[in-house]
Amino acid sequence: MNIEIERKYLLRNEDWRGLAEGVYYKQAYLNERGGNTVRVRIEGNKAKLTIKGKAKNISRVEIEYDIPMVDAEALFSLAKTPCVEKYRHKIPYKGNVWEVDEFLGENKGLVVAEIELKSEEQAFEKPDWIGEEVTHDK
């Protein structure tokens, strides 16, 4: 079992652009809001099924499996909400990796960064382009 510990931030400026190539993501949620999360996702040329528990502070159980692309495509038809599309840029910075998501479609214009941590108390440095924390803002 894996525990996901992450913090999310808005971006202060565009200085992150050009630091990493973006990978196209398409994802859909297969459950109703509230409770646990069941998500199907295509990341470039890979597909995954992810189950996440309810968050406790900034931690939650996360189980993720690679699945065949054809299964992922079939699961999109079961989505309870519209698909989310974005480009994810993975940017190494001082021993950590920041994931900057640039959303498309209904969420076009939204850009957020997240960092996954090994513990809730882990110290880390933020790049200058990281702005306000929005970890608890759904």
Side-chain angles (χ1 to χ4, degrees), residues 7-130:
R7 294 176 71 172
K8 295 182 182 189
Y9 296 84
L10 297 177
L11 283 87
R12 183 183 317 269
N13 56 46
E14 301 277 318
D15 291 352
W16 61 274
R17 291 199 183 275
L19 298 176
E21 190 74 28
V23 174
Y24 175 76
Y25 280 47
K26 178 181 177 184
Q27 62 192 40
Y29 296 89
L30 307 178
N31 62 309
E32 301 294 334
R33 287 197 177 265
N36 300 324
T37 300
V38 180
R39 177 187 71 207
V40 61
R41 173 186 275 174
I42 293 175
E43 304 174 9
N45 61 359
K46 298 184 292 187
K48 296 183 179 203
L49 182 66
T50 305
I51 301 151
K52 295 184 180 190
K54 286 185 91 167
K56 294 179 180 136
N57 197 14
I58 62 171
S59 302
R60 62 182 166 179
V61 171
E62 178 185 61
I63 313 266
E64 189 167 69
Y65 300 96
D66 290 334
I67 61 173
M69 188 69 73
V70 67
D71 290 355
E73 293 289 357
L75 287 171
F76 280 117
S77 69
L78 303 177
K80 299 293 185 182
T81 58
C83 290
V84 174
E85 296 178 90
K86 62 188 178 183
Y87 283 98
R88 174 164 283 175
H89 308 262
K90 293 185 179 186
I91 303 171
Y93 184 80
K94 298 203 175 184
N96 292 299
V97 176
W98 288 86
E99 295 178 342
V100 177
D101 289 338
E102 185 175 18
F103 289 86
L104 307 169
E106 288 183 17
N107 297 310
K108 187 175 176 112
L110 176 62
V111 182
V112 296
E114 63 185 45
I115 183 171
E116 290 204 19
L117 306 170
K118 292 179 176 53
S119 76
E120 290 190 11
E121 297 80 26
Q122 179 182 337
F124 60 93
E125 288 190 51
K126 293 184 270 187
D128 291 340
W129 39 267
I130 293 293

